[in-house]
Amino acid sequence: QLQLQESGPGLVKPSETLSLTCTVSGGSISSSSYYWGWIRQPPGKGLEWIGSIYYSGSTYYNPSLKSRVTISVDTSKNQFSLKLSSVTAADTAVYYCARHTYRFLAFIGDYYYMDVWGKGTTVTVSS
Amino acid sequence: DIQMTQSPSSLSASVGDRVTITCRASQSISSYLNWYQQKPGKAPKLLIYAASSLQSGVPSRFSGSGSGTDFTLTISSLQPEDFATYYCQQSYSTRTTFGQGTKLEIK
């Protein structure tokens, strides 16, 4: 059974770079059917997609965060990572990693959804 | 970006009730709409994809409908474990967006 596990510092100082890693177990990150992504949730608020990556390294980012975000993949370790620079208190959130499954559905065509999630890790930005 | 708006933002209901949550997209997204359930302190769980397809293992009391800009999630008979927050998500664009959530509470 595929599992995802986020790891990284729980406390980051303002203006510094937040770095998180998602380790994939029970399956290969190099499968052609999946993208891998990061989603965050500020305290008491909704979900915000940060960005996604394919095992080849192709990426998509949320335009509102694009200038500060870098997502990378390490297929040898079955991991992908998030770096968010110049953080402020507004970046305090639970950060989730998730698998995006791509399928071809006969009635609609190519489709994707987020079907496996990590448990999430809380990151607080504070001095 | 495509904006997703859910209504209501919160809802009180009783066990056994039929409940409907609405999600509206700012432009047509065909059937590229997913629904997730999130319980406190837990990660979201996929319930419905492609507007009306039930994810494996999800009880049949959950159903989805709609296309274009207007979508609904219906729970036919609320169970105690269904009290949670529900999110819609558009996958029409690779730059995906979520609705703001609907919190379903016990009356």
Side-chain angles (χ1 to χ4, degrees), chain B residues 36-93:
Chain B
Y36 299 85
Q37 175 194 66
Q38 186 180 34
K39 296 182 179 179
K42 301 294 187 181
K45 172 187 174 183
L46 177 68
L47 298 176
I48 301 282
Y49 63 91
S52 60
S53 297
L54 195 67
Q55 172 67 347
S56 176
V58 174
S60 59
R61 63 181 179 274
F62 290 92
S63 64
S65 65
S67 67
T69 60
D70 294 320
F71 303 85
T72 58
L73 172 70
T74 299
I75 310 172
S76 60
S77 178
L78 272 175
Q79 298 302 300
E81 61 268 28
D82 300 337
F83 291 95
T85 300
Y86 293 84
Y87 293 94
C88 62
Q89 176 217 7
Q90 62 82 11
S91 57
Y92 182 83
S93 168

